Amino acid sequence: HIETWTDNSILRQKSEIININELQKYINIWKDMVKYIKNPKNGWVWLAAPQVGYNKRLIVVSLLKDRDDENFSTIMMMNPTILEHSTECEIEGEWCLSVPWEKGEVERFLKIKLSYIDENKKEKIIILSGVSARIVQHEIDHLNGVLFTDKIKK
């Protein structure tokens, strides 16, 4: 059962890599994370394992085409790594489940290329742009112990 977690000691740590022998355990945790964000009462489209008490490199992200997209897919990314990014950036408003009282303008790369392991235990490489790229960068920051509030443009 997943509940939001705001323990700063976990949110401020660099998350550990998920080893091959742990994959099944984290696939089950991922399923709980998906249920949590898809619950209409929560209304969320992304979540990182540290936000729910696991210091592991696991995120759940909804790949939105834009902020009004209602036909998006939600995927699991274990051990996501940004391989390349555009030089072009965009500043846009962000908020976070872990610091719900804060909002702010954050600069992010417009386009990223990343690798990750999916729920079928396959390594994938994907190129994302726009809001999907922003969401993934925000969640990878969580895996590195960084909150969006650290990046707010003053």
Side-chain angles (χ1 to χ4, degrees), residues 13-76:
Q13 292 176 25
K14 186 170 171 114
S15 298
E16 300 169 358
I17 295 279
I18 296 173
N19 296 315
I20 296 298
N21 61 347
E22 298 177 294
L23 287 180
Q24 193 56 52
K25 173 184 178 183
Y26 287 97
I27 287 171
N28 292 334
I29 290 168
W30 162 71
K31 289 176 184 175
D32 284 344
M33 289 169 69
V34 169
K35 280 185 211 164
Y36 179 85
I37 66 171
K38 290 202 173 215
N39 180 333
K41 154 180 110 170
N42 297 326
W44 221 245
V45 290
W46 55 80
L47 194 61
Q51 292 177 281
V52 293
Y54 296 96
N55 192 24
K56 290 290 186 172
R57 298 189 76 76
L58 170 66
I59 62 175
V60 174
V61 293
S62 296
L63 302 179
L64 306 171
K65 291 177 184 62
D66 57 48
R67 296 224 181 255
D68 297 320
D69 185 3
E70 292 183 11
N71 299 311
F72 53 83
S73 60
T74 300
I75 64 170
M76 172 186 78

Side-chain angles (χ1 to χ4, degrees), residues 92-110:
E92 199 172 287
E94 288 190 19
W95 57 93
C96 183
L97 188 63
S98 298
V99 281
W101 56 89
E102 288 278 351
K103 288 183 179 173
E105 300 288 310
V106 177
E107 184 173 31
R108 301 274 184 200
F109 299 114
L110 270 178

Side-chain angles (χ1 to χ4, degrees), residues 63-133:
L63 302 179
L64 306 171
K65 291 177 184 62
D66 57 48
R67 296 224 181 255
D68 297 320
D69 185 3
E70 292 183 11
N71 299 311
F72 53 83
S73 60
T74 300
I75 64 170
M76 172 186 78
M77 294 182 174
M78 285 188 281
N79 302 332
T81 303
I82 296 175
L83 304 171
E84 298 174 21
H85 59 77
S86 62
T87 54
E88 213 177 355
C89 294
E90 180 178 59
I91 297 173
E92 199 172 287
E94 288 190 19
W95 57 93
C96 183
L97 188 63
S98 298
V99 281
W101 56 89
E102 288 278 351
K103 288 183 179 173
E105 300 288 310
V106 177
E107 184 173 31
R108 301 274 184 200
F109 299 114
L110 270 178
K111 193 173 185 180
I112 58 172
K113 177 180 180 181
L114 68 147
S115 69
Y116 66 94
I117 298 168
D118 71 5
E119 69 277 8
N120 297 313
K121 304 176 185 175
K122 304 281 186 223
E123 185 172 3
K124 301 277 187 174
I125 294 182
I126 189 171
I127 295 172
L128 299 173
S129 60
V131 69
S132 289

